[in-house]
Amino acid sequence: MTETTPEDRKRLKARTKLIHAGRRPSEQHGFVNTPIYRGSTVLFPTLDDLSKRNARFSYGTQGTPTTEALETAWTELSGAAGTVLAPTGLAAITLALLAAVKAGDHILVTDSAYRPARIFCDTVLARMGVETTYYDPLVSAGIEALIRPNTSVIFLEAPGSQSLEMQDVPAIAEVARAKGVCTILDNTWATPLFFPPHARGVDMAIEAGTKYLSGHSDLLLGLVSANAQWIKRLRATFDAFAMCAGPEDVFLALRGLRTLDLRLREAERQALDLAHWLASREEVVQVLHPALPSCPGHALWKRDFLGSSGLFSILLAPCSTNALAAMLDGLKLFGMGYSWGGFESLVIPFDCSTYRTATIWSPPGPALRFSIGLEDIEDLKADLDEGFKRLRSVA
Ligand SMILES: *Cc1c(COP(=O)(O)O)cnc(C)c1O
């Protein structure tokens, strides 16, 4: 057998890339997977090698064969010029932002952004003299009117991971490019399998590897892929922080990578089934799932995305907190907790009204976010059906 080269893999479909990218059995005595390299010190055989630093690896903070394997695979999958790893998804966001801003800058952040990203902007970036304006996620090319001479970044998330508003990423990226503004997209929901970020015009793309890449709720990891224009600055910023991901987490992410396509497509199938079922329930006022034609972002999703993942939300008809608690507290199969993208189904109530500033969030009743896992869908429906019965039985 002959190993695939990066050139070979360019011609392969994404599914096949997932299997072959970032693996070099010939360097691992034939073993299929790259093992966990742990290490700080790397030894140089001669003074000449040391002074030229001409080794593939030179010190633990700058990468190991394990981190290189995941970076290479993610770069190829994303259609990027390069990737850096960070210890968490949030760290990946802050790293990308810090690579692109300087004191005195202004940045535009979607009102639907992952909330801890907002906190970073409002505290750390604000202290550094970077001003943030939040914008309506539905702004599209109208973003141009918000760009100031000192605007350096437009931060996007499509769809928003609670409210599921879809963004017109190509339109915003085109305006940004014309104005010399860097675009950073939180692509965690779609992953590069369902939204190829750089082909759609984005400069840097974030993936919280904690979610679907892990797939098993057992690790924390972030990835930032960048195009040719931004990779050097991103890598230099990473080096300045040495914000390294843990070797074990990187190894587990490599394991998750091999089945990402399979798991994502099953999550998609299950979530669509459940979303349609929920849409027919009288307790549910609206299902927020971009792949449903009734969802406002559907046209954009259909135009730009190659699939939908297992995360979506619903708006319930008005009910008391006691009734909602009766429904959620008694669920046997849906866990209640943060994060998503694992093998197990989750549900969590959310309320964006407490922190949004550019848009108004006022649903008629409680809002619930679901992450659909790999259980049998009929069991999940039965668990929710019982939950809705409890909801209706409490005043
Ligand atoms: C979870 C999440 C993150 C952050 O990932 P962590 O690894 O938990 O820090 C970022 N963006 C989105 C959309 C997320 O859902």
Side-chain angles (χ1 to χ4, degrees):
M1 173 179 195
T2 312
E3 268 169 36
T4 59
T5 64
E7 275 309 307
D8 293 333
R9 291 193 293 271
K10 273 188 193 151
R11 290 188 292 273
L12 297 173
K13 304 266 190 289
R15 241 183 122 138
T16 318
K17 270 187 201 166
L18 283 180
I19 305 301
H20 286 272
R23 286 201 301 112
R24 293 165 89 174
S26 64
E27 292 185 354
Q28 316 298 343
H29 312 280
F31 281 95
V32 169
N33 291 296
T34 309
I36 303 179
Y37 278 80
R38 296 181 173 281
S40 50
T41 306
V42 177
L43 302 177
F44 296 83
T46 67
L47 181 61
D48 188 47
D49 289 314
L50 181 72
S51 53
K52 287 187 191 142
R53 275 195 160 229
N54 64 354
R56 201 164 124 215
F57 301 101
S58 55
Y59 186 62
T61 56
Q62 295 181 350
T64 67
T66 316
T67 60
E68 187 191 66
L70 183 58
E71 286 176 356
T72 303
W74 201 255
T75 296
E76 292 182 13
L77 189 67
S78 305
T83 299
V84 300
L85 307 180
T88 67
L90 182 57
I93 292 173
T94 61
L95 190 63
L97 283 168
L98 288 169
V101 297
K102 62 179 186 315
D105 281 356
H106 166 249
I107 65 171
L108 289 164
V109 175
T110 177
D111 213 22
S112 55
Y114 179 65
R115 193 183 180 188
R118 296 176 72 113
I119 295 171
F120 177 75
C121 295
D122 296 341
T123 56
V124 179
L125 288 190
R127 281 204 299 277
M128 288 169 52
V130 176
E131 185 189 349
T132 302
T133 301
Y134 295 95
Y135 66 89
D136 183 339
L138 308 181
V139 66
S140 190
I143 193 91
E144 186 160 3
L146 302 175
I147 295 177
R148 303 178 191 169
N150 62 338
T151 303
S152 56
V153 168
I154 300 175
F155 187 91
L156 308 94
E157 187 177 318
S161 60
Q162 289 187 319
S163 50
L164 280 295
E165 282 125 319
M166 193 44 86
Q167 292 202 262
D168 192 338
V169 179
I172 293 173
E174 195 183 324
V175 170
R177 173 128 321 155
K179 295 263 182 188
V181 174
C182 173
T183 45
I184 303 174
L185 168 71
D186 187 333
N187 198 31
T188 302
W189 183 84
T191 84
L193 284 172
F194 288 166
F195 189 84
H198 304 294
R200 300 280 188 270
V202 167
D203 292 313
M204 289 192 260
I206 310 294
E207 183 75 22
T210 307
K211 312 292 165 57
Y212 280 115
L213 181 56
S214 152
H216 293 74
S217 309
D218 55 2
L219 66 89
L220 293 162
L221 188 73
L223 305 94
V224 191
S225 60
N227 61 15
Q229 191 189 338
W230 281 95
I231 186 60
K232 268 200 178 137
R233 177 69 91 85
L234 175 67
R235 176 68 61 185
T237 309
F238 171 83
D239 286 343
F241 279 97
M243 202 197 270
C244 304
E248 184 127 0
D249 287 350
V250 175
F251 176 83
L252 287 171
L254 274 165
R255 167 186 266 233
L257 182 78
R258 308 302 172 199
T259 56
L260 180 62
D261 185 276
L262 194 64
R263 289 183 288 103
L264 207 54
R265 280 179 205 285
E266 185 59 10
E268 170 178 48
R269 202 178 64 78
Q270 301 246 91
L272 279 170
D273 188 332
L274 203 68
H276 284 291
W277 182 81
L278 285 163
S280 71
R281 302 279 320 192
E282 64 183 53
E283 301 87 350
V284 178
V285 175
Q286 200 183 348
V287 178
L288 306 174
H289 187 312
L292 261 56
S294 59
C295 194
H298 181 67
L300 285 175
W301 173 79
K302 216 170 153 184
R303 189 192 69 188
D304 296 338
F305 285 66
L306 307 171
S308 59
S309 64
L311 188 84
F312 67 94
S313 296
I314 60 170
L315 305 181
L316 289 172
C319 69
S320 70
T321 304
N322 282 345
L324 183 66
M327 174 186 177
L328 298 179
D329 294 355
L331 291 174
K332 298 246 163 94
L333 303 182
F334 284 86
M336 193 161 40
Y338 297 104
S339 200
W340 46 279
F343 54 78
E344 81 291 16
S345 290
L346 299 172
V347 62
I348 195 155
F350 67 94
D351 178 8
C352 311
S353 66
T354 54
Y355 61 87
R356 287 209 174 190
T357 50
T359 50
I360 292 165
W361 174 257
S362 61
L368 298 179
R369 185 181 76 176
F370 290 96
S371 175
I372 307 305
L374 303 175
E375 303 90 343
D376 188 291
I377 198 74
E378 295 310 319
D379 289 336
L380 293 180
K381 285 177 190 167
D383 199 29
L384 286 179
D385 194 48
E386 290 297 315
F388 282 130
K389 275 187 199 140
R390 289 190 299 275
L391 179 88
R392 287 198 306 270
S393 69
V394 174

